[in-house]
Amino acid sequence: MIIGLILILLVVGLDQATKYTAQHFLAASGEKVVIIKGVLEFEYFQNSGAAWGILEGRTLIFFIITIIALIGFGYLFTKSNFKRKKVYSISIALLIAGTFGNAIDRMLLKYVIDFLHVPFLTPILNAVGLSNFWFNIADLALTVGIIMLAIDLIFLESRRSRERDQSVYERLDNQRNNES
């Protein structure tokens, strides 16, 4: 559990540090900084909504959703085990960190600071009816956390379940052999 708490603190710290940097350098200049043309750009945005600006200005809804999410993720975090369930445990820590990172912005600023942009995704997003988007480290943690949790639930949990079942059968066989 200590590893998970450290991961949460590191991701929230990185998220807040990068948002602070974006706010002070990108917002002040109003410029877009192209890191790799067509791949990665930095540009400051204030997002008072969720992804793609949906539910813009609905602070109370975000507060309620955040509290519910943190309670749920907190419960799942109690089930984490970095020795036997690494992917699951990392995913839950990332989900907590991402949720908390954006919640800090909403509480202090009433909006979330977004500054990362990956232009090569624009045609793909447009093809499925979504607009272009900017994001931050907390959003990235949430996305990676969701993907990792899905991988764990789809592929790894069934393997752990089979191993538990096999272990139970082996213990029962050993008990029967000892009783004979």
Side-chain angles (χ1 to χ4, degrees), residues 168-180:
V168 168
Y169 291 130
E170 287 172 1
R171 279 190 299 218
L172 288 173
D173 283 344
N174 287 341
Q175 262 183 339
R176 284 187 208 132
N177 289 338
N178 289 338
E179 290 174 358
S180 308

Side-chain angles (χ1 to χ4, degrees), residues 5 19 23 85 88 120 135 138 148 163 174:
L5 292 172
K19 287 174 179 174
Q23 186 176 35
K85 296 167 44 172
Y88 172 87
F120 70 90
F135 60 99
M148 289 179 71
E163 289 170 358
N174 287 341

Side-chain angles (χ1 to χ4, degrees), residues 84-144:
R84 289 187 288 124
K85 296 167 44 172
K86 283 182 183 67
V87 174
Y88 172 87
S89 300
I90 292 169
S91 71
I92 298 303
L94 289 174
L95 290 169
I96 291 170
T99 303
F100 194 61
N102 282 338
I104 291 170
D105 284 15
R106 289 191 202 290
M107 284 188 306
L108 298 178
L109 305 171
K110 304 292 186 236
Y111 57 85
V112 173
I113 295 172
D114 289 333
F115 60 93
L116 296 167
H117 181 232
V118 286
F120 70 90
L121 290 179
T122 300
I124 298 166
L125 293 171
N126 288 338
V128 295
L130 297 173
S131 64
N132 217 352
F133 72 100
W134 283 257
F135 60 99
N136 56 49
I137 301 298
D139 297 335
L140 189 60
L142 286 164
T143 302
V144 171

